[in-house]
Every structure is written in structure tokens, then in C-alpha cells.
Amino acid sequence: MNPDSRRLRFVYFLVAGSGLVNVARAMSLSFLAVKLQQSFGLGPAAIGVLLGTGPLLGAIAAPVAGSLSDRVGRQFMLVLMLVLTALSLIGMGFAQSVTAFCAAQIVAAISIAVYEPISRALMSDICPPELRLKYFSWRYMAVNAGWAVGPLIGVAAGTAFSLLFTLAGCIYAAFAFALHLVGVPAEPKAAGSEATEERVSIIASIRAAIRDPRLTFFVGGGTLLIAVYGQWSATLAPYLSATLEGGVDLFAYLLSINGMVVLAGNLFARRLIEKVGALHAMVLGCVLILASELGFLASTGFSGFALFMVLFTIGEILVVPSEYLLVDGICNARNRGSYFGAHSFSTIGNFFGPAIGGVMLGAFGGAGMFLTFAAFAAASAVMFTIGTRMPPPRPRAEGAVAATVIEISGLSSRLRHA
């Protein structure tokens, strides 16, 4: 088979797999806040902290796992994370206590947090640069197709949470098995690249990524942005269930609206990003998210929340692919796993979002929560703008010294043979 054709088929496989596992994730994990509130009687602050702990630990583990994938291979790491997620979801289905349930949920959240950046790095490995935005957009569309379908399955299942978690675990296991069987096509290499490529330690790879000032600002902006949209279900669900009659059903409909708008607007978003550039699309998306948070604060019924969820989602489909492109633009094939892994430290926002949102909701009500998230969106736009305009890191002094030593050694050798 033609190598280009094989890579394209593998991209389709990854896109379809991402959609499938996100159906499983949406039909089960999107109702975690409701499960913890109704079955275990936990309050908003406790729910926020518990749902944020796994992503927090995942954010810490992702840089190491990303660098490790540069060395041991992305396929191995992805299969491992999928298997861990499958076992955790099945464990949640059989858990009888809040301690066991939360322990399994934390493992699942860590595995998902590690899986995402490695999966994106693999997409970049396989796709030529001119097609990455297209395939990133396809992947994001497949992910949100899962979020459009999954919540409706969850609503149809009613209170059968145990069955949902077990079924979701089986879906993750099936994708892990399929990915294990499918060989990853080799990425195209520039001539002579193998001869000059160095083996860099995991610690050195992480250190090099952290030293890049552009990535530092991207991580900061991404953290604030993910705090707003990454786990919005963990804060919006308790707010709606506590303030509106039929709030749980409204929440499920909003989840589906979010997914359906992604499907409808993905092509528009991709063309806009291509036209105005990743940074301008990122800033516009942040402004739309800010406006939607203020709109949620003013909404009192389905029509208002639905309208501003559409606005929120348009902002989301602009910022997510734009962020991937900004990170991809400052790395290369040798350090891509390290950069995407280090950037995934921004998923710490999945901890701060529910935790801070839950605290603000409990202490100040919806006004405190929505205004905080609006401020996060504004600050994120500023940080991405600064990061894009930062220069790349200078070569380390040690590298210059090493080069000098090599030159001196070479000169001495030539003199001895003269």
C-alpha cells in the first residue's frame, strides 16, 4: 500500500476512535457531578475538588508521559492509557462506596489527561504540516460528535449509572485492542535526519520544553481557558439543578447543543482560522467565551442558556484547534511529545475550574462563578498574545561550550596527524 495512503487511513482510524471513546466518556463521565450529588450527597465545593483532583495529577504526569512517548513510542503509551481508562470505568460501575468510586474516577481522569496530548502528537507525526489544521479539526469534530450523542444515551439510561460506566469501559477496551493490532505508519523523515538525530533524556526533553518562553505563556493561557471550558459540566450541572426546575434535563440538552454546534460550525471555524491565523482566531474565541459567561449569568430559562451555549461553543471551536496549531508551530518531530506533554500541564485548569467554580458558586452563587470564568477568558487572550510574540529560547550556554570543546578536540586531532 502507498505510504501516504496508509498514513491517511491511520488518521481516519484515529479520528473515528476518538469519536467512539468520547461517546463512552460523554454518556458516563459527564454525569459525575450529578452522581456525586444525588447518590453520595456531596456539595458543590466537594464535587469540584474531587472532579479536579484527577486532572490535576494528570497534568503533572502528562509532561513525563509525553517525553516518554518520544522514546518508547506513542502507540504503546496510548494503548496503556486506554486500558487503564477501561479498567477504571468498569471499577466505577462496580464501586459501592464514595471512596472506591472517586479513586477509580481519579485513575480514569489521569489516564485521559495523559492520552490526549500523546494522541495529538501522534496526529502531528502522521499528518503533513499543511494538512494538520484540517485533521485536527476532524478529530475535534469527532470528539464533539461523541459529546452530542453520549449525553442523550445517558439521559435515556436514567439512573442506571453502573451499566453506563461498565459499557463505557468496554468501549475503551475495544479501542485499545484495535489500536494494538493496527500498526502505526512510519512518519516521513528528512534526508539524513537519522544520522544527525540525538537521543535526548526524558529529563532533558522536559527541561528544554519548559525553557521555551512561548510555551510558558501558552501553558498559562491554556490553563485559564481550560478552567472555563474543560470541566464546565462540573460547575454548570449543580448550578442548573439547584436553581431551575428540570435543571438536570436542561443540562443534558446543553451538552448535546454543545456537540451539535461543533459539528455544524467546525468547517466554518477551520476556514476562519486559515483566513485570520491561529492567534486572531484564539483571541476572538476568548471574547466569545467571555460574552457567553456573562450571558449565562443573565439567563433564566432554556432559551437563554441554549443561545449562550451556542455562543460558548463557537468560541470553543475557535480556541481549541488554534491552540493546537500554536503549540505545533514551536516544536519539531523530535521534541513534539515533550512539547505537547508539557503544554498539557495546562490541563491543571481541569482542577482549578471545578474547584474555584465550586467554591465561588457555594460562596457567591452564579454571579461569582460566571464572572470569575469571564475574567479567566479575558486573561487567557492576553497571555496567548504575549506568548506568540515572544522569541524562541536561546541555545544553552552548555551547548556553546560543548561545541567549542568539540572544535578544539578536532583541531588537536588534526595537529597530531599533521
Side-chain angles (χ1 to χ4, degrees):
M1 183 185 295
N2 187 306
D4 291 337
S5 176
R6 187 174 178 219
R7 284 195 295 271
L8 184 59
R9 288 173 182 266
F10 188 76
V11 169
Y12 291 151
F13 169 75
L14 287 179
V15 169
S18 295
L20 181 64
V21 295
N22 276 278
V23 170
R25 184 179 174 187
M27 74 184 190
S28 57
L29 299 183
S30 59
F31 293 93
L32 281 174
V34 177
K35 168 73 173 177
L36 292 170
Q37 184 181 51
Q38 294 184 352
S39 299
F40 299 112
L42 300 182
I47 291 172
V49 171
L50 285 173
L51 295 188
T53 299
L56 172 63
L57 297 176
I60 296 171
V64 177
S67 296
L68 187 60
S69 76
D70 286 332
R71 298 174 65 86
V72 304
R74 311 216 200 278
Q75 183 183 28
F76 171 79
M77 293 297 296
L78 290 177
V79 170
L80 178 61
M81 293 304 107
L82 288 168
V83 169
L84 287 176
T85 306
L87 294 175
S88 302
L89 287 168
I90 293 172
M92 293 167 68
F94 287 97
Q96 299 296 315
S97 67
V98 64
T99 302
F101 184 88
C102 290
Q105 184 271 329
I106 288 172
V107 174
I110 294 172
S111 302
I112 291 170
V114 171
Y115 168 85
E116 285 297 321
I118 298 176
S119 177
R120 293 194 293 267
L122 181 57
M123 287 281 289
S124 285
D125 290 341
I126 302 302
C127 300
E130 66 274 11
L131 295 178
R132 283 176 189 163
L133 174 59
K134 175 181 178 180
Y135 291 129
F136 275 142
S137 297
W138 282 10
R139 181 184 183 275
Y140 184 61
M141 184 171 65
V143 166
N144 282 274
W147 284 97
V149 174
L152 300 180
I153 297 175
V155 170
T159 58
F161 289 111
S162 297
L163 177 62
L164 286 175
F165 289 126
T166 303
L167 179 59
C170 292
I171 293 174
Y172 268 90
F175 184 47
F177 182 69
L179 183 58
H180 175 70
L181 293 180
V182 176
V184 177
E187 59 180 294
K189 291 182 178 287
S193 63
E194 292 184 2
T196 59
E197 186 172 301
E198 300 178 11
R199 299 282 295 181
V200 182
S201 71
I202 294 174
I203 299 300
S205 298
I206 297 173
R207 187 183 297 120
I210 293 174
R211 286 185 61 248
D212 193 327
R214 301 166 298 176
L215 186 61
T216 301
F217 278 94
F218 291 168
V219 169
T223 299
L224 294 176
L225 207 53
I226 290 176
V228 179
Y229 75 77
Q231 291 273 343
W232 60 266
S233 61
T235 49
L236 190 59
Y239 173 78
L240 292 175
S241 63
T243 58
L244 293 177
E245 184 178 354
V248 174
D249 290 339
L250 172 57
F251 166 69
Y253 294 136
L254 292 179
L255 282 173
S256 293
I257 289 172
N258 177 265
M260 288 185 288
V261 172
V262 169
L263 295 178
N266 188 66
L267 180 60
F268 156 77
R270 191 179 82 206
R271 289 178 175 174
L272 181 61
I273 295 170
E274 290 173 340
K275 183 177 181 179
V276 305
L279 177 62
H280 290 96
M282 168 67 72
V283 173
L284 175 60
C286 290
V287 171
L288 293 177
I289 291 175
L290 184 156
S292 68
E293 293 295 329
L294 299 179
F296 288 148
L297 174 59
S299 299
T300 57
F302 173 79
S303 58
F305 280 102
L307 172 63
F308 288 107
M309 177 52 68
V310 171
L311 195 65
F312 180 92
T313 308
I314 294 173
E316 184 183 351
I317 62 178
L318 288 174
V319 301
V320 173
S322 298
E323 188 174 3
Y324 296 164
L325 284 180
L326 290 173
V327 176
D328 186 72
I330 63 173
C331 61
N332 55 54
R334 192 177 64 178
N335 61 19
R336 187 170 289 125
S338 301
Y339 267 66
F340 273 102
H343 173 259
S344 283
F345 190 73
S346 63
T347 59
I348 196 173
N350 283 321
F351 170 77
F352 288 119
I356 295 176
V359 169
M360 297 301 290
L361 177 61
F364 304 104
M369 180 177 71
F370 292 126
L371 289 174
T372 298
F373 288 156
F376 282 1
S380 178
V382 173
M383 296 195 74
F384 274 105
T385 301
I386 294 174
T388 303
R389 295 175 180 174
M390 292 289 290
R394 294 180 179 179
R396 291 185 63 86
E398 300 96 297
V401 172
T404 303
V405 171
I406 291 173
E407 289 183 10
I408 293 173
S409 299
L411 177 60
S412 298
S413 177
R414 290 193 296 272
L415 289 174
R416 284 196 301 269
H417 289 84

